[in-house]
Amino acid sequence: MPFFNTQLKFASDIIAANISILVILVAAVIYISLAKKWKMTWMLVRTMDHRKIGILYIAWGFVFFLRAGLDAMLMRTQLAFPDFKFWVFQGDKYDQVMTTHGTLMIFFVAMPFLIGLMNIAVPLQIGARDLAFPFFNSLSMWLFVIGGLLINMSFVLGGAPSTGWTSYVPLAVDKDIVGNGTAFYDMGVQVSGIGTIMTSINMITTILKHRAPGMGFMKIPLFTWSVLITSILILFAFPVLSAALLILLFDNQFGTHIFSGENGNPVLWQHLFWAFGHPEVYIVILPAFGIFSQVISTFASKRIFGYSSMVLSMLVIGFLSFMVWIHHMFTVGLGAFANVVFAITSMLIAVPTGIKIFNWLFTIRGGSVRFTTAMLYALAFIPSFVIGGVTGVMQAVVPADYQYHDSYFVVAHLHYVMVGGTVLGAFSGFYFWWPKMFGYILNDKIGKWQAWTFIIGFHMTFLPMHLSGLQGMPRRTFTYLPEDGLFEFNFISTMGAYLMAVSVLLFLWNVFYSYRKKPRHGVADPWDGRTMEWAVSSPSSHLRWPYLPVVRDLENLWYEKDHGDGTLQFSQKAEKRIVVEKPTIIPLLLSGGFFTISFGLIFEVPLITIAGFIGTLLLMAWRSITYEQSIELYTSEQLEEAIRREEA
Amino acid sequence: MGVETNVENSTETLLEYASPRKTAMFLFICAEAVIFGSLFATYFVMLHHLGDGPGPKEFFKFKEIILPTILLLSSSLTWYLAEKTLHVREKGKTLFFIGLTVLLALGFLSLEMIEFLKNIGDGYTLSRSPFISSYYLLVGLHGCHVLFGILWMALLLVHVKTKGATVANHGRFVSFGIYWHFVDSVWVFIFLLLYGLGQFL
């Protein structure tokens, strides 16, 4: 079937995907109609509240998580037996599934999970009423959604990207092989990247400018510190990707040959990609570190051990993350000197990370530990992440890396840090902040089942991959032969992957079950919290703090519980100008504009692109002109009254 | 409820209003600088990837770029004057200086378009060689920023005309000023490192 300069083919898997998309859409429409939630949906897509935007981030992230997880199941099934032929997932299809799995998991699952939690917790932790720019917050979120949808749509619209999440050239720009796939990857990541850069600017400005009175830099809770450092990393790393993707777009769609051809330079793409790509892995791990710091100190009922060294080590990790990217390119042949320098800087990162691990252990030591689900995830994280870190240092040894390179050993390592760090951190954060997000607690018993199945499944999947990698199994291949002796390892990995899938379904069941059963009162401070987010109601209200809270200690709420009456002290200073943004649909429309631009670029229809650009610019102008009407101004007294009215 | 209805226009509110915006704008400029930095790096890597195309000495015509450079750099000065006249609430002068800045930027942009067209006429198209592609990407992206700046200034013109020297407009001016001076300073680097240094390579 012809479709905007391309041909759509209807193979069995595409038809299945089409049908499932239709079924999900119809089911969603029917559910919203039956439950009479159209008005709520309309409110939700226009919201400017940081908590709701955070929830939307996480909800969309979870949708993409299920899709990318399904990809993982397909891959693991294909690899379960030697020389196996599962459905259509061999060769090109396997490559497509593998690429969407990687791209989605990193850009559209790990990032939104963490950014969602940042949205929910950061303003509360620092005593701000919202982020500095709620409008941009909403816009960032919708841009991320559009980017994710673009990557997801590629499967049914003429070919998904198939060159791995790294999208190495010249393969990626060879249209005979990849078709429109690279264009989908390029625009999807580019659009969401713009949103991510805006989020980082928003977060840094919020943390620098909107802290409550009394909160000096060394009184910022560790999660917020990690967000600040992560945001700085995003700010300097993502633009490199934007530039690289811009060049890739030109190589792919406009006939330039910067990365390919006889005169191009494919290694330049690798440099640009990894100059972004390595900070990126710290972007997704540092907030997880922050979450674990909060969770461990809360459930060990102790102040975090070595707060200042925690902050310092995060700063060092952030700094070093920009000078290690060559360790992804040891086998390119950049010379012994470059390899040695980057081997040393890569190994150095283990030092601050080790400091953090020990600080967490010392925090637990002597504390009265409560084994909730969130704490269980945090405790599972420590050994899992140490394994991932150690294999990382092993790969920093250049001669050894020549052996590990491009084998399943690397796959095992990256999943140990990504899943063992980021995903465990995200789950821990979900269980921890769920009351703050929705006003009810997730069931602890189901939660523990979920945590244990996830942790066991995770180790079952990825521990054998170290061994299959050392036996020489190359990554990104869709099968192996019976005489390779890899069957046992792969079979165990596949079983582990299924167990993780069960665990994710258990999580969904837990959300549903707890929503039905749990009482909704007494959840403002269910964990005997230590930082300020536990001093407001659950779920946190949009209008709050007519007078800003005063910060007297790092663990402000705990300090008040210990020294005061257990409630926050408020500033006496009345403010004259409190800006609250009214809900607006413009962010969603703007992201629609970006979608139109991307669509035109991907299918090479200039008219659509131009229409998208004009629409986007007009919307931006419209927002600028109506700015004065789109905000509400309060003084402290007026805000107090507004809150009273809302509660009544 | 407009911005000005219930708040007096004191220096304190002005600072309070402009300060986060300024921070955010500077952070945005950091991101932009990294994008341009990456493209500069690409350009220097591509310096020897000439194919059958011309080298920098042959390609860049230094004399023809002096006039557009003067136009763009003087637009920074006229913008500064626009900002200062808004500060002292001389609306007429502000409008005049914004108009002047727009004209200078348009002059720069049309000269650049003429240069591009001339290049294409000479056979130096976008895909002639990686070196020329990287030139078009870098200078073209800068040109897009100038174009965006012109559209932005048109919008500011509307804002000043309808609302005058309000707090919100001061914030808008501060933000745009940071953007515009940055776009100009990128041009200084392009002028020196591409056109200037190109004469000696």
Side-chain angles (χ1 to χ4, degrees):
Chain A
M1 195 175 90
F3 183 80
F4 292 108
N5 300 339
T6 52
Q7 293 286 328
L8 296 191
K9 296 185 203 86
F10 289 101
S12 61
D13 57 316
I14 307 276
I15 292 170
N18 276 327
I19 291 171
S20 56
I21 292 171
L22 260 172
V23 167
I24 291 168
L25 279 180
V26 170
V29 169
I30 290 175
Y31 171 75
I32 295 174
S33 303
L34 283 183
K36 295 196 175 66
K37 289 201 190 293
W38 280 110
K39 203 176 166 204
M40 202 187 110
T41 315
W42 175 242
M43 294 294 282
L44 199 61
V45 296
R46 299 183 310 145
T47 187
M48 290 286 147
D49 178 24
H50 67 96
R51 177 180 66 89
K52 287 182 186 158
I53 290 173
I55 289 172
L56 280 173
Y57 257 118
I58 291 168
W60 281 101
F62 214 89
V63 171
F64 298 138
F65 185 45
L66 294 178
R67 161 71 208 275
L70 182 68
D71 287 341
M73 291 309 116
L74 296 173
M75 279 191 285
R76 276 324 315 171
T77 312
Q78 164 62 28
L79 286 169
F81 304 101
D83 221 359
F84 189 48
K85 287 212 165 36
F86 170 66
W87 203 356
V88 292
F89 296 100
Q90 295 90 39
D92 203 30
K93 281 282 173 203
Y94 181 88
D95 290 346
Q96 293 185 2
V97 170
M98 165 207 70
T99 304
T100 16
H101 170 76
T103 313
L104 284 178
M105 280 292 188
I106 289 177
F107 292 106
F108 301 100
V109 177
M111 300 283 295
F113 276 0
L114 296 171
I115 293 178
L117 290 172
M118 290 178 192
N119 258 300
I120 289 151
V122 167
L124 293 168
Q125 283 198 331
I126 63 174
R129 294 189 187 91
D130 205 325
L131 289 184
F133 308 103
F135 180 86
F136 286 111
N137 195 19
S138 162
L139 180 57
S140 311
M141 189 268 295
W142 287 113
L143 286 181
F144 137 71
V145 174
I146 288 300
L149 288 180
L150 275 171
I151 302 254
N152 273 286
M153 276 167 39
S154 63
F155 193 69
V156 293
L157 291 183
S162 56
T163 48
W165 84 283
T166 50
S167 195
Y168 268 19
V169 286
L171 182 63
V173 290
D174 192 333
K175 282 216 156 180
D176 296 336
I177 299 174
V178 295
N180 274 345
T182 305
F184 272 110
Y185 168 90
D186 193 294
M187 288 320 294
V189 176
Q190 183 76 286
V191 168
S192 77
I194 295 169
T196 313
I197 294 172
M198 289 200 308
T199 308
S200 80
I201 294 174
N202 214 338
M203 288 288 169
I204 301 174
T205 313
T206 310
I207 297 171
L208 290 185
K209 293 282 174 188
H210 291 273
R211 273 169 294 139
M215 185 176 271
F217 272 95
M218 290 321 256
K219 282 183 191 161
I220 299 179
L222 274 174
F223 178 64
T224 304
W225 251 120
S226 74
V227 172
L228 180 61
I229 295 164
T230 306
S231 302
I232 294 170
L233 293 191
I234 292 176
L235 189 67
F236 289 103
F238 263 78
V240 182
L241 181 71
S242 300
L245 288 173
L246 181 72
I247 303 173
L248 186 67
L249 179 76
F250 271 76
D251 267 17
N252 201 30
Q253 310 288 68
F254 299 106
T256 64
H257 291 287
I258 292 180
F259 290 143
S260 60
E262 39 187 308
N263 298 312
N265 187 348
V267 180
L268 179 65
W269 164 263
Q270 297 186 18
H271 276 294
L272 289 175
F273 185 84
W274 288 118
F276 145 78
H278 201 85
E280 165 70 7
V281 306
Y282 289 91
I283 289 166
V284 293
I285 197 62
L286 282 176
F289 285 173
I291 294 168
F292 291 128
S293 302
Q294 301 291 153
V295 167
I296 287 176
S297 94
T298 304
F299 292 114
S301 317
K302 251 183 85 186
R303 186 182 267 261
I304 193 85
F305 184 89
Y307 169 80
S308 48
S309 69
M310 287 297 237
V311 173
L312 194 68
S313 56
M314 278 198 286
L315 282 168
V316 173
I317 291 173
F319 178 72
L320 282 176
S321 73
F322 281 100
M323 38 187 68
V324 296
W325 81 91
I326 299 268
H327 71 212
H328 298 271
M329 302 163 62
F330 278 157
T331 55
V332 168
L334 298 169
F337 181 71
N339 282 0
V340 166
V341 169
F342 282 91
I344 291 170
T345 50
S346 306
M347 289 176 196
L348 271 181
I349 289 200
V351 176
T353 316
I355 292 174
K356 295 187 76 69
I357 297 277
F358 281 111
N359 281 348
W360 285 315
L361 293 177
F362 286 133
T363 307
I364 299 167
R365 182 180 179 274
S368 59
V369 181
R370 285 168 285 157
F371 290 96
T372 58
T373 312
M375 185 63 169
L376 203 58
Y377 271 112
L379 292 176
F381 151 79
I382 294 175
S384 309
F385 194 78
V386 167
I387 297 175
V390 169
T391 52
V393 177
M394 283 166 74
Q395 285 169 78
V397 181
V398 182
D401 184 66
Y402 272 71
Q403 295 303 313
Y404 307 135
H405 189 82
D406 235 354
S407 76
Y408 258 70
F409 193 82
V410 179
V411 179
H413 161 72
L414 78 91
H415 282 92
Y416 258 84
V417 285
M418 289 277 178
V419 183
T422 309
V423 177
L424 292 187
F427 273 123
S428 180
F430 292 162
Y431 279 95
F432 186 56
W433 280 308
W434 201 267
K436 219 26 83 182
M437 288 149 71
F438 294 101
Y440 65 92
I441 304 169
L442 285 177
N443 184 291
D444 204 45
K445 198 170 166 207
I446 305 177
K448 276 186 179 140
W449 272 95
Q450 196 249 326
W452 277 113
T453 44
F454 194 85
I455 294 157
I456 294 170
F458 157 65
H459 282 278
M460 234 171 105
T461 313
F462 298 111
L463 202 64
M465 284 189 187
H466 290 112
L467 304 170
S468 55
L470 289 177
Q471 294 245 355
M473 181 165 171
R475 64 192 288 204
R476 295 175 175 175
T477 46
F478 64 88
T479 197
Y480 49 94
L481 294 173
E483 56 267 31
D484 289 342
L486 296 165
F487 165 63
E488 292 84 354
F489 297 134
N490 275 293
F491 189 75
I492 297 170
S493 284
T494 302
M495 291 302 116
Y498 289 159
L499 193 58
M500 280 164 87
V502 169
S503 166
V504 171
L505 295 179
L506 262 179
F507 181 76
L508 286 175
W509 166 247
N510 195 355
V511 170
F512 178 73
Y513 176 88
S514 311
Y515 177 74
R516 284 291 176 84
K517 299 277 157 144
K518 271 287 171 185
R520 277 121 205 279
H521 45 79
V523 288
D525 183 15
W527 317 121
D528 199 6
R530 306 174 79 82
T531 40
M532 269 198 286
E533 72 264 37
W534 303 111
V536 299
S537 63
S538 285
S540 66
S541 58
H542 183 43
L543 298 176
R544 60 170 180 263
W545 289 333
Y547 299 89
L548 287 174
V550 176
V551 178
R552 301 203 279 178
D553 186 64
L554 162 64
E555 296 177 324
N556 200 28
L557 184 62
W558 190 256
Y559 183 86
E560 300 297 349
K561 283 175 183 172
D562 221 18
H563 295 77
D565 58 353
T567 55
L568 294 182
Q569 301 291 305
F570 290 97
S571 160
Q572 299 299 311
K573 189 180 160 227
E575 284 168 84
K576 290 188 204 132
R577 194 168 190 285
I578 298 168
V579 181
V580 177
E581 296 246 7
K582 289 182 202 162
T584 158
I585 195 72
I586 295 177
L588 185 61
L589 294 177
L590 258 176
S591 66
F594 276 90
F595 181 81
T596 318
I597 296 172
S598 312
F599 195 88
L601 283 171
I602 291 166
F603 290 102
E604 304 188 48
V605 191
L607 271 178
I608 297 182
T609 315
I610 293 167
F613 268 115
I614 292 173
T616 309
L617 288 172
L618 284 177
L619 278 167
M620 285 159 85
W622 176 248
R623 157 72 183 171
S624 174
I625 286 170
T626 56
Y627 173 74
E628 277 88 344
Q629 285 86 51
S630 66
I631 55 170
E632 274 173 288
L633 287 172
Y634 294 96
T635 61
S636 286
E637 292 83 20
Q638 285 168 338
L639 186 61
E640 212 168 10
E641 206 185 293
I643 293 169
R644 218 174 296 133
R645 235 180 295 129
E646 202 167 71
E647 276 169 0
Chain B
M1 209 170 3
V3 171
E4 310 318 318
T5 45
N6 63 349
V7 179
E8 77 272 38
N9 205 345
S10 67
T11 322
E12 193 190 352
T13 41
L14 189 63
L15 279 177
E16 214 172 278
Y17 182 84
S19 161
R21 265 142 229 276
K22 239 174 155 171
T23 313
M25 212 52 208
F26 272 117
L27 294 169
F28 170 68
I29 293 305
C30 288
E32 288 269 68
V34 176
I35 292 183
F36 276 108
S38 307
L39 287 177
F40 270 110
T42 307
Y43 168 80
F44 280 106
V45 171
M46 290 300 141
L47 210 49
H48 303 292
H49 294 264
L50 298 176
D52 62 344
K57 197 165 186 177
E58 206 181 323
F59 182 67
F60 292 119
K61 295 173 187 67
F62 188 73
K63 278 186 191 134
E64 285 167 28
I65 206 66
I66 294 174
L67 180 62
T69 306
I70 293 172
L71 289 183
L72 191 65
L73 293 191
S74 44
S75 80
S76 242
L77 177 72
T78 53
W79 177 259
Y80 173 80
L81 292 171
E83 220 176 300
K84 287 298 142 188
T85 46
L86 186 81
H87 219 75
V88 292
R89 294 160 180 280
E90 296 195 40
K91 195 172 145 186
K93 280 186 188 168
T94 312
L95 289 175
F96 169 73
F97 280 118
I98 300 178
L100 198 59
T101 318
V102 170
L103 281 180
L104 287 169
L106 275 175
F108 168 84
L109 208 59
S110 29
L111 284 174
E112 192 170 279
M113 286 313 288
I114 290 168
E115 195 203 326
F116 276 17
L117 289 175
K118 214 189 268 171
N119 281 340
I120 292 168
D122 290 347
Y124 302 153
T125 52
L126 178 65
S127 49
R128 174 73 181 270
S129 72
F131 165 69
I132 292 179
S133 308
S134 68
Y135 155 81
Y136 274 117
L137 269 174
L138 176 52
V139 178
L141 187 69
H142 177 265
C144 287
H145 277 75
V146 176
L147 180 64
F148 189 76
I150 291 170
L151 297 174
W152 193 344
M153 277 191 278
L155 197 61
L156 288 176
L157 217 56
V158 177
H159 279 306
V160 176
K161 191 126 185 131
T162 52
K163 290 163 201 151
T166 62
V167 177
N169 272 351
H170 277 291
R172 290 187 178 109
F173 267 56
V174 169
S175 302
F176 181 75
I178 295 169
Y179 174 81
W180 194 243
H181 295 315
F182 169 74
V183 170
D184 280 3
S185 56
V186 170
W187 182 257
V188 171
F189 282 99
I190 292 177
F191 177 71
L192 291 177
L193 294 176
L194 269 65
Y195 290 88
L197 197 63
Q199 301 304 306
F200 304 101
L201 291 171

